[in-house]
């Protein structure tokens, strides 16, 4: 883990070499034991005190740490796609991480991002991509405004972060590298599908809305059922407290209908 952390964070600039080295050691220790407490992961009283001093330092900021991850990720993408390197101006990821107000009635912070993939000649996952991550929490003052949700523009909603992440990732990676934005049902947003994107970019998003499509079937789910099957797989779903190990059949179909505006 130490060598991985050193490689991933070698471009960190926290204002002091001692802080840079502490960051690498701390990340390596926490990554090696992700479920352990800070004292358990650090292994000694001195290392634990050093960790808390590190977090209290005014030089240690979320943007400064994430900028190193951003740089390492972009370099990986350029190397993987056959480009000589990333020599342009660095674009630090935008984020907000208030030091107060986390907890209580606030919702947990969320982190959104995209995955970068190589071009079609050598396809594979390179991400997750810190270049488009954003940390957010809900403002307690907005509680009770859900009834006005449909009246607001997408730019005024939390879901705008999906559009921001998609645009930021496209800007960060080479133009011939495909960007795959993988998302759950929350990203089933018409604005996301309609946003400009480069040829080859893909949006595997879990469906939540029964959308109208330009297809004889009329709606998305029926159109998919009418489409030819590409493959049939069976995956093993691990056991949980309530269910035993299961073998779940998965059918993959492709359909070309265009999604119509809501």
């Amino acid at each position: 883990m130490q060598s991985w952390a050193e490689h991933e964070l070698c471009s960190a600039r926290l204002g002091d070499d001692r802080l840079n080295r502490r960051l690498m050691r701390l990340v390596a220790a926490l990554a090696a034991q992700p479920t352990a407490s800070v004292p358990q992961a650090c292994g000694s009283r001195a290392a634990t005190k050093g960790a808390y001093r590190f977090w209290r330092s005014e030089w240690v900021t979320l943007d400064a740490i994430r900028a190193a991850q951003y740089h390492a990720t972009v370099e990986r993408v350029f190397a993987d796609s056959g480009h000589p390197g990333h020599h342009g101006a660095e674009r630090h990821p935008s984020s907000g991480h208030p030091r107060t107000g986390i907890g209580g009635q606030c919702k947990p912070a969320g982190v959104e991002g995209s995955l970068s993939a190589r071009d079609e000649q050598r396809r594979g996952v390179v991400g997750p991509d810190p270049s488009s991550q954003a940390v957010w929490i809900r403002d307690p003052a907005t509680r009770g405004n859900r009834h006005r949700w449909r009246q607001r523009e997408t730019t005024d909603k939390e879901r705008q972060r999906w559009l921001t992440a998609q645009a930021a990732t496209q800007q960060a990676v080479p133009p011939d590298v495909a960007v795959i934005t993988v998302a759950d049902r929350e990203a089933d947003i018409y604005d996301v599908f309609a946003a400009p994107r480069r040829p080859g970019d893909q949006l595997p998003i879990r469906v939540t809305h029964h959308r109208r499509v330009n297809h004889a079937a009329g709606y998305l789910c029926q159109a998919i059922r009418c489409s030819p099957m590409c493959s049939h797989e069976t995956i093993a779903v691990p056991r949980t407290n309530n269910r035993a190990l299961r073998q779940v059949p998965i059918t993959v179909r492709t359909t070309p209908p265009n999604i119509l505006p809501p």
Side-chain angles (χ1 to χ4, degrees):
M1 281 296 180
Q2 184 66 33
S3 60
W4 166 80
E6 290 174 355
H7 181 270
E8 188 73 9
L9 302 167
C10 62
S11 63
R13 298 293 181 268
L14 300 181
D16 190 306
D17 286 341
R18 291 171 297 181
L19 290 176
N20 297 335
R21 293 193 295 270
R22 174 71 68 181
L23 170 64
M24 297 176 191
R25 290 196 298 269
L26 186 56
V27 168
L30 294 175
Q33 301 184 70
T35 61
S37 65
V38 173
Q40 289 173 332
C42 290
S44 69
R45 183 178 179 83
T48 302
K49 290 180 63 177
Y52 286 110
R53 283 199 304 269
F54 174 85
W55 286 322
R56 286 195 300 267
S57 172
E58 61 179 335
W59 296 99
V60 177
T61 65
L62 183 63
D63 282 350
I65 296 173
R66 203 155 50 199
Q69 292 181 284
Y70 161 78
H71 184 271
T73 300
V74 173
E75 288 293 337
R76 250 192 319 274
V77 172
F78 271 79
D80 231 14
S81 60
H83 288 257
H86 177 53
H87 301 295
E90 289 189 9
R91 183 182 56 78
H92 289 192
S94 60
S95 65
H97 190 173
R99 294 186 179 277
T100 60
I102 297 179
Q105 295 183 336
C106 298
K107 295 291 184 180
V111 180
E112 310 301 342
S114 299
L115 298 179
S116 301
R118 307 175 200 177
D119 55 22
E120 293 184 359
Q121 293 180 351
R122 298 184 64 192
R123 185 170 297 279
V125 173
V126 179
D129 179 7
S131 68
S132 61
Q133 286 182 348
V135 176
W136 58 275
I137 63 170
R138 291 177 181 167
D139 184 352
T142 63
R143 291 175 63 88
N145 293 335
R146 187 174 182 179
H147 63 284
R148 296 199 298 267
W149 177 77
R150 291 185 179 274
Q151 303 170 11
R152 304 202 310 266
E153 297 292 334
T154 300
T155 53
D156 298 327
K157 300 176 182 178
E158 293 174 358
R159 58 178 54 186
Q160 171 62 34
R161 67 187 182 277
W162 292 101
L163 292 161
T164 303
Q166 186 173 316
T169 305
Q170 289 181 346
Q171 180 181 347
V173 302
D176 59 343
V177 174
V179 175
I180 303 177
T181 302
V182 182
D184 208 338
R185 299 170 63 170
E186 186 189 36
D188 183 1
I189 309 164
Y190 181 77
D191 288 354
V192 171
F193 301 128
R197 57 183 183 272
R198 303 175 306 193
D201 288 5
Q202 300 179 34
L203 299 173
I205 294 175
R206 187 178 180 187
V207 173
T208 188
H209 299 296
H210 195 34
R211 297 188 177 278
R212 295 187 306 122
V213 294
N214 185 18
H215 188 277
Y219 288 87
L220 180 60
C221 293
Q222 287 90 330
I224 293 175
R225 293 189 184 101
C226 296
S227 302
M229 184 174 66
C230 294
S231 66
H232 186 81
E233 307 288 342
T234 300
I235 63 172
V237 178
R239 67 178 300 276
T240 65
N241 292 335
N242 301 322
R243 289 186 175 181
L245 173 69
R246 293 174 292 151
Q247 300 294 325
V248 179
I250 301 293
T251 301
V252 180
R253 300 177 184 271
T254 60
T255 181
N258 293 322
I259 294 176
L260 299 178

